[in-house]
């Protein structure tokens, strides 16, 4: 894998400075590293332009506020992103054009130097592009507790996109050991939450109504920018929108089910707990169209 293009932001470099990512740049006591104490955004750039940047910036601002971390200005961050994207190695060509995965990280930094942020850009991984085409096999797995209960306690950081993704990565290793690709979390009472790194979207045709459903985004799960953009476009196109609650039986009876996130876009769920699900390629294209408007 090639080294990502890196731009670091500092108080005296608010628009960022291009750095050599193959060099040691993070201190061993950086608390983003030692405690997962920081926030991030993962975004998709098509033809070297970040898609839905305002939505990502708004979520980054909300995450930073919850963790009491300083937020780079939108203008400074945009300049840093432009600098990194201009310098990046070529990315894969897809229907969207040239694709790159872009990350923004704000770390607590060292106790001595304090918080800092950086931006990385690398070509979108082939494994993710494949999921758009071939779909994913998903397993329903318990979340252990209902994250909606965390919402009342700001120190539990519900809805913040923190660097502490060890559990999200662990569940992916677990599903892969079971021959599946992804996980969908459920509460103890079997209510659907979200994927390990994605939002759940379901389509259902109810008489002459067409309805898109997703679990209520403000109830302890991450509000997905991809789900938000798709729902905004779908509403304009006459879809009705529903926000759950959804249960396993709803997903099994769906007319189509997807995992949605910024780099994956829409991955159709082909199997749920081993049961084949209905597939609708035309519908996936339709929803991709709404996403392109966002
Ligand atoms: N939920 C979780 C837990 C995620 O990690 C992600 C993205 O990484 C999403 C949902 C989807 O968010 P977005 O569509 O903004 O990429």
């Amino acid at each position: 894998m090639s080294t990502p293009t890196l731009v670091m932001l500092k108080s005296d470099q608010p628009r960022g400075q291009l750095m050599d990512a193959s060099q040691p740049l993070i201190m061993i006591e950086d608390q983003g590293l030692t405690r997962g104490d920081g926030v991030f955004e993962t975004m998709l750039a098509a033809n070297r332009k970040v898609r839905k940047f305002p939505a990502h910036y708004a979520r980054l601002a909300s995450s930073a506020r919850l963790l009491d971390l300083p937020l780079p200005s939108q203008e400074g961050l945009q300049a840093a992103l432009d600098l990194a994207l201009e310098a990046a190695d070529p990315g894969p060509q897809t229907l969207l054009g040239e694709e790159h995965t872009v990350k923004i990280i704000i770390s607590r930094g060292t106790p001595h130097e304090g918080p800092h942020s950086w931006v990385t850009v690398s070509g979108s991984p082939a494994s993710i592009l494949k999921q758009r085409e071939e779909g994913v096999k998903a397993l329903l797995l318990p979340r252990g507790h209902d994250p909606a209960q965390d919402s009342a306690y700001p120190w539990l950081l519900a809805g913040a996109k923190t660097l502490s993704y060890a559990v999200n990565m662990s569940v992916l290793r677990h599903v892969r050991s079971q021959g599946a690709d992804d996980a969908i979390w459920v509460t103890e009472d079997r209510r659907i939450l979200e994927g390990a790194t994605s939002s759940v979207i379901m389509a259902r045709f109810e008489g002459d109504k067409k309805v898109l459903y997703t679990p209520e985004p403000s109830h302890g799960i991450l509000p997905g920018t991809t789900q938000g953009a798709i729902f905004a476009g779908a509403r304009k196109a006459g879809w009705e929108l529903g926000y759950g609650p959804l249960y396993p039986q709803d997903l099994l009876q769906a007319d189509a089910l997807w995992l949605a996130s910024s780099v994956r876009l829409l991955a159709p769920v082909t199997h749920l707990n081993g049961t084949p699900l209905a597939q609708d390629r035309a519908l996936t294209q339709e929803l991709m169209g709404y996403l392109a408007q966002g």
Side-chain angles (χ1 to χ4, degrees):
M1 195 192 271
S2 61
T3 316
T5 304
L6 169 69
V7 167
M8 294 189 107
L9 293 97
K10 306 225 171 79
S11 49
D12 58 342
Q13 294 273 5
R15 298 168 71 82
Q17 185 183 3
L18 208 50
M19 309 290 282
D20 180 354
S22 69
Q23 295 304 306
L25 294 166
I26 304 292
M27 300 299 282
I28 202 70
E29 288 194 316
D30 193 296
Q31 294 163 101
L33 178 68
T34 59
R35 299 189 197 271
D37 191 356
V39 297
F40 77 109
E41 282 295 315
T42 303
M43 303 166 290
L44 181 67
N47 297 321
R48 302 196 179 232
K49 191 173 178 314
V50 171
R51 289 160 61 101
K52 35 182 184 59
F53 179 63
H56 284 290
Y57 187 78
R59 192 170 61 190
L60 183 71
S62 153
S63 301
R65 197 176 325 111
L66 279 162
L67 272 80
D68 202 12
L69 283 166
L71 177 71
S73 75
Q74 185 160 352
E75 198 218 345
L77 198 48
Q78 183 68 67
L81 290 168
D82 290 344
L83 186 59
L85 280 161
E86 200 183 318
D89 289 339
Q93 289 289 337
T94 72
L95 290 175
L96 299 179
E98 187 190 17
E99 280 196 33
H100 289 96
T101 298
V102 180
K103 286 185 194 282
I104 301 171
I105 291 174
I106 309 175
S107 162
R108 183 79 53 199
T110 62
H112 179 61
E113 288 180 358
H116 61 142
S117 7
W118 63 91
V119 164
T120 61
V121 177
S122 41
S124 290
S127 55
I128 291 277
L129 303 183
K130 195 168 146 219
Q131 289 194 356
R132 294 180 199 162
E133 282 306 307
E134 297 181 5
V136 291
K137 294 184 177 130
L139 298 182
L140 294 166
L141 290 172
R143 185 69 182 86
H145 77 292
D146 184 349
Q149 294 165 354
D150 297 353
S151 308
Y153 311 110
W155 55 89
L156 294 181
L157 307 178
K161 196 164 165 66
T162 77
L163 289 175
S164 314
Y165 257 51
V167 167
N168 309 55
M169 297 299 105
S170 162
V171 80
L172 288 178
R173 284 193 301 278
H174 174 76
V175 292
R176 284 171 194 152
S177 76
Q178 305 295 306
D181 308 298
D182 221 315
I184 296 178
W185 302 114
V186 292
T187 59
E188 257 180 6
D189 62 357
R190 309 290 288 158
R191 199 160 38 75
I192 304 296
L193 293 167
E194 61 186 337
T197 60
S198 57
S199 310
V200 174
I201 298 180
M202 176 185 109
R204 203 156 63 191
F205 301 114
E206 300 171 358
D208 54 3
K209 278 196 315 192
K210 39 185 199 171
V211 192
L212 278 187
Y213 289 95
T214 196
E216 177 58 64
S218 61
H219 282 36
I221 62 174
L222 196 74
T225 61
T226 312
Q227 173 270 317
I230 290 174
F231 272 44
R235 183 192 291 115
K236 283 190 211 142
W239 285 77
E240 289 195 17
L241 305 177
Y243 294 92
L246 299 175
Y247 294 92
Q249 206 51 30
D250 298 314
L251 304 196
L252 288 164
Q253 290 169 355
D255 289 293
L257 180 69
W258 301 268
L259 292 182
S261 65
S262 296
V263 178
R264 158 185 13 217
L265 304 175
L266 280 170
V269 180
T270 60
H271 295 75
L272 189 63
N273 285 0
T275 305
L277 298 189
Q279 300 298 303
D280 192 331
R281 256 182 186 271
L283 203 48
T284 304
Q285 289 314 315
E286 186 178 333
L287 264 57
M288 286 282 285
Y290 303 143
L291 192 49
Q293 297 161 14

